[in-house]
Amino acid sequence: MYFDTHAHYDDRTFDEDRDSLLAALPESGVTLVIDPGCDVKSSRAAIELAARYEHVYAAVGIHPEELGDFTEENICEIARLAGDRKCAAIGEIGLDYYWDDTHKAEQKELFKRQIELAIELDKPIIVHDREAHGDSLEIISQYPELRGVFHCFSGSAEMAKELLRRGWYLGFDGPVTYKNARKALEVLELCPMDRLLLETDSPYLSPVPMRGKRNDSRNLKYIAEKIAEVKDCAAGDVARAAYENGRRLFGI
């Protein structure tokens, strides 16, 4: 069984076949999915999908690229949505300096507001960290009670060690299968089996051999196979470990 802890099925690229695809996932061995929101609209959509499918759960939050949603009204709406019984986390939240490094202070404030909401509601967070490793680590370090996952982890081995020491989980996606995945494989080697999660980030980041095509949760097997190669174990062992890790972190 597979647990895709990060898949954006609210994305418009799934408009034509979303329902048939989600309905068929359990038959393909994908029995749990978390759909994380990136703004108020997509967070609502994630909650709606979770209500329609027993195996789908939601996360709600405002992504750093969506700073325009950073209003008191929208933060309150995220808090309201987070009260849904199938909301498993606050996310996708964090910092992204790749596209815009001119609003770092605003990104940090948005990140902290949502971290504080997660702590208030006793929920884990799903962290988006792109080209902002130092600031991301510094901020989460201010909240020792905080728990969660660094989605599609792209930091250094040293950062991974510190996160693992603090009890965090690391998410591994399609890029671990790419030819230039040296840093990700170094992190995989040191990440214990009880701290890794499998993610697709669908519809993005399709793994080899599906690279260039729309991604979906059925491709988790390729990621598990690569991790198993690195860990010198069976892909089924990876899938089982990641499944239980996800259930433990998200309280499912």
Side-chain angles (χ1 to χ4, degrees):
M1 295 187 296
Y2 287 99
F3 185 173
D4 188 348
T5 57
H6 201 111
H8 298 281
Y9 284 110
D10 58 279
D11 190 272
R12 62 185 180 183
T13 59
F14 292 109
D15 284 354
E16 293 186 2
D17 62 347
R18 178 180 296 109
D19 290 323
S20 60
L21 176 56
L22 284 173
L25 283 182
E27 298 174 7
S28 301
V30 181
T31 56
L32 285 174
V33 174
I34 290 180
D35 186 317
C38 292
D39 55 17
V40 170
K41 181 180 179 181
S42 59
S43 293
R44 287 193 190 114
I47 291 291
E48 290 169 3
L49 287 175
R52 282 158 49 193
Y53 295 97
E54 184 178 356
H55 58 286
V56 176
Y57 287 76
V60 300
I62 301 174
H63 189 285
E65 291 181 29
E66 303 298 334
L67 278 173
D69 253 22
F70 188 13
T71 66
E72 286 303 318
E73 180 181 354
N74 285 341
I75 290 291
C76 289
E77 179 63 6
I78 291 295
R80 186 191 71 78
L81 292 169
D84 188 272
R85 69 177 186 87
K86 292 196 74 181
C87 177
I90 303 299
E92 174 178 359
I93 65 175
L95 303 174
D96 191 320
Y97 298 164
Y98 180 81
W99 295 111
D100 181 5
D101 65 356
T102 63
H103 294 89
K104 291 183 179 180
E106 293 89 341
Q107 286 194 35
K108 290 177 183 178
E109 178 63 17
L110 175 59
F111 191 19
K112 289 178 181 179
R113 287 290 300 275
Q114 294 180 98
I115 285 174
E116 289 160 6
L117 173 63
I119 291 172
E120 178 184 341
L121 298 176
D122 192 27
K123 291 185 183 292
I125 67 171
I126 299 171
V127 178
H128 173 99
D129 165 28
R130 191 172 188 189
E131 303 294 335
H133 308 315
D135 284 351
S136 295
L137 181 58
E138 191 275 330
I139 287 174
I140 65 100
S141 298
Q142 297 174 22
Y143 303 91
E145 69 273 50
L146 187 64
R147 65 194 193 282
V149 56
F150 267 64
H151 154 61
C152 195
F153 183 74
S154 60
S156 66
E158 290 73 23
M159 180 179 179
K161 289 177 183 177
E162 180 60 20
L163 288 170
L164 293 168
R165 186 184 71 80
R166 292 175 177 273
W168 283 71
Y169 291 77
L170 305 180
F172 295 97
D173 304 54
V176 301
T177 69
Y178 300 170
K179 289 182 179 179
N180 63 347
R182 180 186 56 80
K183 186 165 68 171
L185 298 184
E186 288 178 1
V187 172
L188 257 179
E189 288 177 357
L190 64 87
C191 183
M193 289 281 278
D194 64 355
R195 294 291 186 81
L196 61 83
L197 298 179
L198 292 177
E199 310 173 331
T200 59
D201 202 19
S202 298
Y204 316 107
L205 302 180
S206 294
V208 174
M210 307 304 290
R211 196 169 184 183
K213 301 179 181 179
R214 187 190 70 174
N215 201 8
D216 69 59
S217 301
R218 294 172 296 182
N219 292 332
L220 284 175
K221 61 183 180 180
Y222 301 114
I223 303 167
E225 287 168 1
K226 184 62 180 182
I227 294 174
E229 179 185 318
V230 173
K231 293 291 190 184
D232 193 23
C233 65
D237 294 336
V238 174
R240 281 189 291 274
Y243 190 89
E244 291 305 320
N245 296 343
R247 289 184 62 193
R248 182 168 59 251
L249 174 62
F250 295 111
I252 296 173

